[in-house]
Amino acid sequence: MREIVTRITEITGSIASLSASGVGLGELAEIQLPGRKTLGQVIRIAGNMVTLQVFGGTKGLSTNDRVRFLGHPMQVKYGESMLGRIFNGSGAPIDGGPDPVEDEIPIGGPSFNPANRIIAKQMIRTNIPMIDVFNSLVVSQKLPIFSIPGEPYNQVLARVGMQAEADIILLGGMGLKFDDYTFFKTTFEASGVMNRVVMFIHQASDPVVECLLVPDMTLAVAERFAEAGRRVLVLLTDMTNFADALKEISISMEQIPSNRGYPGDLYSQLAARYEKAVDIQELGDITILSVTTMPGDDVTHPVPDNTGYITEGQFYLHNGVIDPFGSLSRLKQNVVSKVTRDDHNDIMNTMIRLYADCRESRNKIAMGFKLSRWDETLLAYGEDFERELMDLEVNIPLEEALDRCWGILARHFETVQTGLKDSLVEQYWPARDADEKQAV
Amino acid sequence: MPVTGKVVAAYGNMVTASFESDVLQNEVAYVITGEHRLKSEVIRVRDTVCDMQVFEDTRDVKVGDRVEFTGNLLVVELGPGLLAQIYDGLQNPLPELAEKSGLFLKRGVYLDCLDREREWEFTPVAKEGDTVRAGDVLGTVPEGLFTHQIFVPFDFIGAARVTKMTPQGSYTVAQTVAEVEDERGKTHALTMVQEWPIKVPLRKYESRLLPVEPLVTGIRIIDTFYPVAKGGTACIPGPFGSGKTVLQQLISRYANVDVIIVAACGERAGEVVETLREFPHLTDPYTGKTLMERTIIICNTSSMPVAAREASIYTAVTLGEYYRQMGRNVLLLADSTSRWAQALREMSGRLEEIPGDEAFPAYLQTRIAEFYERAGYVTLGNGDKGSVSIIGTVSPAGGNFEEPVTQGTLAVVGAFLGLTWARSNARRFPAIDPLISWSKYVEQMRETLGRLDPGWTSMLKEAKRLIFAGDEIKKRMDVVGEEGTPLADFISHLKAEFVDAVYLQQNAFDPVDAYNTMERQVYIFRKLHEVLRKEITASDKDDAREIFFRLTALFKNWNSAEWESDEFRKYEEQINDFLGS
């Protein structure tokens, strides 16, 4: 039986220190407060002084509360019965159901051996043309949605969750508002996917340390499912809250901040989570789609900046649409026109190039310059492009979206104006009247 | 009797230990936690305790855990069999680790860096009775493309007499190939493998020379405009998404050196995978063998322990110095040195040192300089020449080059290839910005470059002047519009755009355009120069634009035509027709 300590000597922020022996780094401790229990994790040992990060927060913690060390690091339950359930940031169910009877697994496990990795070559269909056609999501990819508060990023995330081809969907919510949490819950329930969803939710009102645990628990469970041969999609929202929680803890640990108060290891901390995305040969895989809100819409802010160096591209969500400029999927080359239709690559580039020209024509309007007939054509094209493809309400499979691209082009341009290869034009360019019917 | 100690404190990956007798700064120690032996390095000694950075996850470390000090600095194993290997930052072979411990990396597992089973065909060079010193050649073994020399250990003190040489035959690296007797009469058994501390430069050469031979990367904007010398250094800073990694991969494929060392330092594992999976199937343009045979990958990606990331860059450069010792030209690609600097910052924070700019330690600049200074072009004892060149990428926060790592690097490198969002967003790849980049090697290699074409440097200057003039005109034009720009200026602008489109930009996905030999670059650049010098007569701006549209298309087609093929000749003739008109 491990000793029970009854004297806490120091309490600051979410950190408590006490004197104990034989305690290992990372070990879990249970603190018995009057009427409730909370967990804490050892983050520093020095002589017989042990520093704990208290998950439940230190509000109301007394210097004579009882602390018991559990002899193991933080764990999370894993098993089939987790499906359809919702847990909080310390792994306790918050959906009113019973505690699942499953084995516990450690969280924050070691890195995947790079020598075991394979080149990702499978596409994940989301039925959102701006993703499928223009920046395809690939199995084992890690992609953030860069956005600002107020944009419908959680809606996009939920839609991808519902529609993506994945066996298991894991949602890690960090600093979620109650409304957003309810939105995810009701959306998943209403669409009937809840039976393959596991949610780990840290709400904005929960203690900040629990926020730090959410990605680790979510990804530990994801890793086990992937090892068991399942295709796992991990949704993380919002990673900026996670980074802010890191900042809060490191400041109260008196660490020297590096950039805008964030700790010097922000990059490593984010990378340790994102790098869990993996395609395990002959087994399952993990794909990560996350949300990073950019304070002040500033992409050079430390959180989006470090994220950009880690992830394989990013989606910019601006004014309610996924912006084709700036958005990038680094892995799309692995699938576009290789596993998708042969016209995919060319049509994608042509549509974007013409849309860029359209934006220039719009600039001309703004500058008060005269418009040529070519400008008029581009403007009409741009409107159709936005209405029929960019709008987030559009929900069609990739092939239909590609056909729609051809339809829009045929409606506005002569074949030569598009610069598309003759062989593709012959095969895919629709007859004019056919498209008019479709448009009506 | 090894020195032992006990853990007294632990925080993150830093462990403080007490010790009994004496310790060395930077010596390797093992923290024994349960069944794990965690490798660590002493980084600070204070009175009776020392601080150590642990190269592994420190979970479960307890106060009172045993610590074993080895008395040795952090070393790498040198010997035949390094080529085509994939190591982590501490020279652990990753594929073998995968066999042993499965999908994930297990902590505290250390394997032989060089295969102990594999046999090598040894040919003795030294003879019994010879007097040898550190760095002298004992014999050779064939390794892949070239002859691998077996040296008397570089840390061997004084002269020694060879008392026994094994005859020619197959031996493993651990078998004794020679016995020598040192000045005090002590006999040493020498094998094909030796160790060298990674943080100490290997300087067993006669003299260091000024780097004057160009290192051809096959990328026009680098080789022509901002060249790197063999034995020189360059840095490639750029914000995320500006194509740093693609550029590094291209250089690792096409550079004309004997050995490439790719140090993936704190970057995505996915990027290494491409090199890992594709290099065994890609052909080396110089030897016809696979690229893997000339490559060593040091892979300490972003989610692997951060202290090992700090070591990985030194591991890589030490392996490079070893092959230089055999008269080889080595290129080290370090991607990214910012992650290495961040590892320094993390440890510095844990040590509670007074921080410098952006919390980087005050000694950052010195460490960067020390690292890049390990590059060099040297003459060896036997008169052969060898080189280690270093090209490091930098990932500046927010794409702002004013940050400490970029600035610290710029102060010590010979060439600066700056990538910008302005160019990558405009899809102008490689996104090296000609307006901000520079290379000191243009002047330094003036004589060698003059051999390509006597007028090389002056042609270069003219072209650069034009690029800058074109930029000025473009800026003016953005304000006053095309209408307010004189035709002559407009043509200058078109010329600059033309140079950019057909020479500075290069299509990495076109099998021919992706890589240009120096011969081809000189040939094309001369022709380009003729175009630039030619007086263009156009009736108006539209006419001028039309002319350059045509020229650009011609040159682009010429760029994708196989060297000296019929197609190549065809386009060249059309260009000549234009020049003659």
Side-chain angles (χ1 to χ4, degrees):
Chain A
M1 192 59 204
R2 299 289 297 271
E3 69 176 313
I4 293 170
V5 183
T6 53
R7 181 85 202 153
I8 297 175
T9 46
E10 203 179 310
I11 306 170
T12 34
S14 309
I15 311 292
S17 301
L18 49 104
S19 140
S21 60
V23 176
L25 217 52
E27 193 174 327
L28 220 52
E30 193 183 73
I31 308 169
Q32 180 72 57
L33 280 72
R36 69 183 174 102
K37 276 182 195 164
T38 179
L39 291 175
Q41 191 173 21
V42 177
I43 51 172
R44 182 179 218 159
I45 49 174
N48 58 1
M49 279 305 286
V50 174
T51 307
L52 285 178
Q53 185 171 288
V54 185
F55 297 158
T58 52
K59 243 176 239 145
L61 192 66
S62 156
T63 48
N64 67 0
D65 279 338
R66 291 153 61 88
V67 180
R68 189 166 66 94
F69 289 94
L70 303 178
H72 62 77
M74 185 63 193
Q75 293 173 322
V76 66
K77 292 204 164 125
Y78 158 74
E80 294 291 328
S81 71
M82 304 277 285
L83 294 174
R85 303 293 309 275
I86 308 171
F87 304 90
N88 71 6
S90 55
I94 51 170
D95 54 0
D99 227 355
V101 188
E102 297 283 1
D103 287 338
E104 296 204 281
I105 57 164
I107 66 165
S111 176
F112 196 81
N113 187 334
N116 285 332
R117 284 185 186 258
I118 51 172
I119 298 177
K121 289 201 169 111
Q122 286 170 285
M123 180 180 157
I124 297 184
R125 288 158 177 270
T126 64
N127 287 358
I128 300 174
M130 289 316 286
I131 297 180
D132 288 0
V133 178
F134 297 102
N135 280 302
S136 326
L137 190 61
V138 179
V139 161
S140 87
Q141 191 163 23
K142 36 195 181 290
L143 254 181
I145 299 172
F146 283 175
S147 190
I148 52 168
E151 293 284 352
Y153 46 81
N154 283 333
Q155 281 72 358
V156 176
L157 216 56
R159 252 192 73 193
V160 173
M162 287 183 303
Q163 296 181 176
E165 308 158 295
D167 299 331
I168 310 271
I169 299 146
L170 292 172
L171 175 76
M174 287 149 281
L176 274 195
K177 283 194 311 230
F178 178 76
D179 307 13
D180 288 330
Y181 157 54
T182 318
F183 162 77
F184 277 113
K185 191 170 157 228
T186 46
T187 313
F188 285 151
E189 275 167 358
S191 65
V193 295
M194 197 61 197
N195 59 351
R196 46 192 183 96
V197 174
V198 186
M199 289 161 74
F200 289 94
I201 302 293
H202 165 261
Q203 294 186 53
S205 54
D206 290 344
V208 64
V209 185
E210 289 188 355
C211 179
L212 292 179
L213 294 172
V214 166
D216 287 338
M217 290 199 292
T218 314
L219 291 162
V221 172
E223 242 168 19
R224 286 301 174 97
F225 275 121
E227 276 184 275
R230 314 288 272 274
R231 313 191 67 179
V232 185
L233 177 69
V234 175
L235 308 172
L236 298 172
T237 174
D238 159 357
M239 287 301 275
T240 306
N241 289 335
F242 169 76
D244 287 342
L246 277 176
K247 174 164 82 174
E248 202 177 315
I249 299 295
S250 79
I251 298 272
S252 45
M253 285 296 287
E254 295 174 359
Q255 270 188 37
I256 297 151
S258 66
N259 204 340
R260 297 210 211 175
Y262 289 95
D265 63 354
L266 179 63
Y267 174 84
S268 303
Q269 293 284 3
L270 289 171
R273 274 79 191 185
Y274 280 115
E275 285 281 317
K276 294 279 180 199
V278 68
D279 188 353
I280 311 176
Q281 200 155 17
E282 285 158 26
L283 294 172
D285 51 66
I286 301 174
T287 309
I288 300 178
L289 194 65
S290 69
V291 167
T292 298
T293 48
M294 301 184 287
D297 204 8
D298 175 13
V299 73
T300 67
H301 181 277
V303 181
D305 187 52
N306 278 295
T307 304
Y309 280 115
I310 295 163
T311 54
E312 287 147 339
Q314 65 277 329
F315 293 136
Y316 281 97
L317 192 62
H318 272 156
N319 304 325
V321 291
I322 296 176
D323 194 334
F325 305 112
S327 294
L328 166 75
S329 160
R330 286 172 193 263
L331 299 186
K332 73 178 170 198
Q333 274 88 356
N334 296 356
V335 296
V336 168
S337 289
K338 286 182 182 152
V339 297
T340 61
R341 226 164 72 179
D342 61 341
D343 58 328
H344 188 167
N345 188 51
D346 291 70
I347 197 96
M348 161 181 98
N349 289 330
T350 307
M351 294 292 286
I352 293 296
R353 202 189 60 233
L354 291 169
Y355 186 61
D357 291 346
C358 160
R359 283 215 177 166
E360 271 184 27
S361 300
R362 284 186 189 167
N363 284 345
K364 279 193 184 173
I365 300 182
M367 303 278 281
F369 289 140
K370 215 177 120 205
L371 295 183
S372 63
R373 180 178 289 156
W374 174 242
D375 289 322
E376 306 278 4
T377 311
L378 286 169
L379 289 173
Y381 158 78
E383 259 175 47
D384 282 2
F385 180 86
E386 282 166 9
R387 195 181 56 246
E388 294 175 39
L389 290 168
M390 267 171 83
D391 192 324
L392 279 178
E393 296 297 310
V394 179
N395 188 358
I396 48 175
L398 172 69
E399 284 70 22
E400 199 183 325
L402 290 175
D403 289 340
R404 193 175 282 192
C405 289
W406 285 102
I408 296 172
L409 287 181
R411 203 179 308 148
H412 296 284
F413 301 101
E414 300 297 326
T415 52
V416 285
Q417 291 174 320
T418 62
L420 281 158
K421 273 189 283 196
D422 291 347
S423 56
L424 289 175
V425 169
E426 258 168 52
Q427 195 179 345
Y428 295 106
W429 196 267
R432 187 151 282 223
D433 53 337
D435 177 62
E436 269 160 18
K437 268 179 221 149
Q438 191 193 326
V440 175
Chain B
M1 190 55 199
V3 179
T4 58
K6 281 195 161 41
V7 172
V8 295
Y11 176 40
N13 65 339
M14 190 180 80
V15 167
T16 310
S18 64
F19 51 90
E20 287 157 3
S21 47
D22 294 296
V23 294
L24 269 70
Q25 169 76 326
N26 294 105
E27 82 169 288
V28 172
Y30 289 92
V31 177
I32 294 145
T33 292
E35 77 233 51
H36 303 290
R37 290 169 60 82
L38 311 178
K39 203 173 192 172
S40 23
E41 182 188 12
V42 175
I43 50 171
R44 183 167 69 185
V45 184
R46 275 186 170 176
D47 199 10
T48 58
V49 295
C50 61
D51 296 321
M52 305 182 300
Q53 60 172 341
V54 184
F55 297 118
E56 306 274 0
D57 184 3
T58 49
R59 195 175 287 191
D60 294 339
V61 170
K62 294 184 174 68
V63 169
D65 278 350
R66 209 174 121 85
V67 178
E68 282 178 19
F69 296 92
T70 61
N72 295 319
L73 303 183
L74 193 59
V75 293
V76 284
E77 269 191 6
L78 303 172
L82 290 169
L83 292 179
Q85 285 292 346
I86 302 149
Y87 291 121
D88 74 359
L90 301 174
Q91 215 196 1
N92 247 323
L94 288 170
E96 282 77 8
L97 272 183
E99 267 171 44
K100 198 172 149 89
S101 42
L103 293 174
F104 296 92
L105 294 167
K106 283 219 175 73
R107 62 174 180 167
V109 181
Y110 308 108
L111 301 179
D112 287 328
C113 312
L114 293 170
D115 192 339
R116 291 294 190 269
E117 311 284 306
R118 185 164 168 193
E119 292 196 337
W120 298 89
E121 187 62 30
F122 179 77
T123 311
V125 171
K127 291 180 292 296
E128 283 167 24
D130 282 1
T131 305
V132 292
R133 290 173 176 278
D136 284 352
V137 179
L138 287 172
T140 62
V141 299
E143 182 188 16
L145 305 162
F146 48 77
T147 310
H148 186 114
Q149 294 171 326
I150 307 297
F151 300 100
V152 175
F154 301 119
D155 55 0
F156 195 90
I157 299 166
R161 198 170 51 82
V162 180
T163 53
K164 200 174 152 197
M165 276 306 291
T166 52
Q168 178 153 13
S170 292
Y171 305 93
T172 65
V173 287
Q175 277 179 300
T176 305
V177 291
E179 278 178 17
V180 299
E181 193 182 283
D182 68 14
E183 285 160 339
R184 285 169 299 164
K186 198 175 162 226
T187 305
H188 302 260
L190 303 180
T191 64
M192 288 192 229
V193 57
Q194 60 165 310
E195 291 179 340
W196 186 262
I198 58 170
K199 289 182 183 168
V200 181
L202 178 51
R203 290 203 179 112
K204 286 280 169 236
Y205 46 76
E206 278 298 302
S207 58
R208 214 175 138 177
L209 307 168
L210 198 65
V212 288
E213 288 298 324
L215 189 157
V216 179
T217 61
I219 295 160
R220 290 188 293 256
I221 184 169
I222 300 180
D223 298 344
T224 304
F225 283 88
Y226 307 104
V228 185
K230 280 183 181 155
T233 52
C235 79
I236 309 179
F240 67 83
S242 60
K244 271 192 305 299
T245 307
V246 176
L247 191 58
Q248 282 264 19
Q249 281 174 348
L250 287 172
I251 298 175
S252 69
R253 281 178 195 190
Y254 300 123
N256 69 335
V257 292
D258 304 310
V259 177
I260 295 265
I261 301 176
V262 178
C265 171
E267 289 290 307
R268 303 178 191 97
E271 287 167 4
V272 193
V273 175
E274 281 177 31
T275 311
L276 228 75
R277 302 278 166 194
E278 285 176 0
F279 269 31
H281 309 291
L282 292 173
T283 317
D284 178 357
Y286 301 96
T287 61
K289 301 273 182 105
T290 73
L291 279 176
M292 203 61 205
E293 286 178 59
R294 67 161 193 175
T295 309
I296 305 173
I297 300 173
I298 308 290
C299 172
N300 214 96
T301 54
S302 55
S303 59
M304 287 160 77
V306 69
R309 188 197 296 170
E310 192 253 342
S312 67
I313 255 187
Y314 297 107
T315 301
V317 74
T318 312
L319 298 185
E321 288 170 333
Y322 178 60
Y323 279 97
R324 175 172 71 185
Q325 213 59 34
M326 293 172 216
R328 299 293 155 191
N329 291 310
V330 182
L331 171 61
L332 166 61
L333 294 166
D335 187 16
S336 133
T337 56
S338 292
R339 306 301 163 220
W340 165 72
Q342 285 178 347
L344 287 179
R345 175 166 73 184
E346 277 181 41
M347 272 335 287
S348 165
R350 298 250 152 76
L351 290 170
E352 295 175 355
E353 293 171 337
I354 294 167
D357 225 4
E358 290 186 22
F360 282 106
Y363 47 79
L364 175 70
Q365 165 74 58
T366 335
R367 294 283 171 88
I368 293 175
E370 277 168 5
F371 168 66
Y372 280 100
E373 272 302 296
R374 289 178 77 168
Y377 182 43
V378 302
T379 313
L380 301 164
N382 61 3
D384 282 355
K385 293 193 173 77
S387 69
V388 170
S389 320
I390 300 178
I391 300 182
T393 61
V394 181
S395 320
N400 174 13
F401 292 164
E402 303 299 311
E403 55 92 45
V405 186
T406 315
Q407 288 305 316
T409 310
L410 285 184
V412 294
V413 294
F416 162 59
L417 309 165
L419 306 179
T420 55
W421 263 328
R423 282 187 74 80
S424 67
N425 285 346
R427 296 276 170 270
R428 297 183 176 207
F429 288 112
I432 299 170
D433 196 326
L435 300 173
I436 58 168
S437 302
W438 48 257
S439 166
K440 292 177 181 165
Y441 298 112
V442 181
E443 271 307 304
Q444 198 165 311
M445 301 194 296
R446 179 185 271 273
E447 214 169 291
T448 6
L449 291 173
R451 272 183 245 143
L452 302 172
D453 186 307
W456 187 254
T457 21
S458 64
M459 288 200 301
L460 211 57
K461 270 190 192 145
E462 251 176 81
K464 268 189 211 168
R465 224 176 5 245
L466 185 90
I467 293 169
F468 277 87
D471 179 61
E472 285 298 314
I473 296 166
K474 173 83 177 55
K475 279 184 201 148
R476 271 206 303 276
M477 224 156 60
D478 283 343
V479 184
V480 298
E482 230 175 84
E483 308 88 82
T485 310
L487 184 59
D489 276 4
F490 189 70
I491 289 176
S492 294
H493 159 69
L494 287 176
K495 277 184 176 173
E497 282 291 304
F498 164 72
V499 175
D500 194 345
V502 306
Y503 204 83
L504 303 184
Q505 293 172 46
Q506 205 167 339
N507 184 356
F509 299 102
D510 183 296
V512 176
D513 198 29
Y515 160 75
N516 275 190
T517 59
M518 206 58 215
E519 192 187 6
R520 183 173 181 144
Q521 290 187 35
V522 174
Y523 197 85
I524 294 193
F525 189 65
R526 277 203 199 113
K527 197 64 77 187
L528 184 89
H529 186 250
E530 279 181 53
V531 174
L532 300 186
R533 298 211 91 176
K534 187 177 159 65
E535 194 88 24
I536 306 279
T537 39
S539 53
D540 56 18
K541 285 178 187 135
D542 281 337
D543 185 30
R545 188 179 272 133
E546 201 52 44
I547 292 172
F548 278 95
F549 268 153
R550 241 182 51 230
L551 260 181
T552 308
L554 268 180
F555 266 80
K556 276 197 169 165
N557 283 317
W558 201 32
N559 279 340
S560 0
E562 203 84 53
W563 174 241
E564 298 197 317
S565 62
D566 289 345
E567 216 193 342
F568 184 87
R569 294 273 164 248
K570 186 184 87 187
Y571 288 115
E572 192 184 356
E573 260 166 48
Q574 292 184 24
I575 292 166
N576 286 340
D577 287 348
F578 167 81
L579 286 167
S581 67

